[in-house]
Amino acid sequence: MQTHIPDNLTCADLQQIGGKPLLLEIPENPTSATDWAQQNAGRIKSLLDSNGALLIRGLDIQGSKKFGKVTENIFQSPLLSYQYRSTPRSRMRGNVYTASEYHAHETILQHNESAYSTNWPSHLGFCCMQTPDTKGATPITDSHAVYNAIDPEVRDLFESKGLMYVRNYLDVDLPWQEVFQTQDKAEVEQFCLQQNMKFEWLSDDHLRTSQVAQVSLAHPITNQTVWFNQAHLFHLSALSQENQSHFLSVFGETGLPRNVYFADGSPIENALLDHIRDIYQRLQIRFDWQKSDLLLVDNLAYTHGREPFTGNRKVLVSMVSL
């Protein structure tokens, strides 16, 4: 039984998905996915450093506990807790979470995890526990390719002005207790101060925060410049026209659950964000999940999203900072 990835295997030997060498199939199913991950951690990390993303197919990963151990063994690092969150999700055993639990009919746009803040995980692991009846893929997109594809004038405008994310924590989106994973306002305030985030309590259960964050970054390994923000996702224009009108009528612009501006507080034109969304859509790479598929992603190198789906779908996620 083959248990080791060959030392001479390179990214060029991976199977292509959407024109990208991405898929590593394990020819014979190891008896222990956790042992296999431990034995091959160095080779997997090397492939991931070169490739930015890696889909491993053929491991037997049953349940959140094993998935967590597999990713800990691969990354040789403890899993992170998910405190400052922007989507609803459930915590499983250890620091393993369900992928975003938005309604099945909704699309989750491409994004780098936590790119709306100044603190993010370096790598992510996804594992499919249950495949949906239709669709439900987790497409990915090369963040450096996105950067290069954006109109240089648009890119320069964003990079020169910076971004400011404004959030109102309400029951209609996510209450502050869920976002910050605490019932203690003092803990929330301490977190905000540590992250250089402005905060204001408008009532006992209404918190507003604003934070200036990056537009792009130099990748620490490749030194390539990557587009690294969530302006296209946080902006009001990411909602349907019907929902935009409804939210504005109910909350007004200053009370929107989430929105984004240039760092000086000036508005961002919808057309600029539509341009960026179109690029993400055009460049994304998709595959259909198979049970126990393990997708590893360098969070700076690649974004991820979610297609709408039918049936029951269960994908777990873990995060590390290396």
Side-chain angles (χ1 to χ4, degrees), residues 82-88 102 116-117 164-170 173-176 178-180 197-200 202 206-211 230 234 254-261:
Y82 194 15
Q83 184 177 9
Y84 183 49
R85 57 183 65 180
S86 66
T87 57
Y102 277 131
Y116 52 82
S117 73
M164 178 174 65
Y165 298 88
V166 179
R167 298 179 68 175
N168 287 278
Y169 305 91
L170 304 162
D173 188 38
L174 292 179
W176 61 265
E178 182 172 354
V179 171
F180 294 94
M197 187 187 307
K198 295 180 180 179
F199 63 90
E200 179 183 7
L202 301 179
H206 186 175
L207 170 67
R208 178 183 294 157
T209 63
S210 62
Q211 184 174 34
Q230 288 194 24
F234 263 68
T254 60
L256 291 170
R258 62 182 74 188
N259 204 1
V260 62
Y261 304 85

Side-chain angles (χ1 to χ4, degrees), residues 104-140:
H105 67 272
E106 295 181 350
T107 296
I108 299 177
L109 298 178
Q110 291 292 305
H111 61 283
N112 306 88
E113 194 65 38
S114 300
Y116 52 82
S117 73
T118 55
N119 188 31
W120 52 81
S122 66
H123 294 79
L124 311 173
F126 297 90
C127 188
C128 181
M129 297 286 109
Q130 184 174 2
T131 59
D133 292 341
T134 63
K135 299 186 72 174
T138 299
I140 61 174

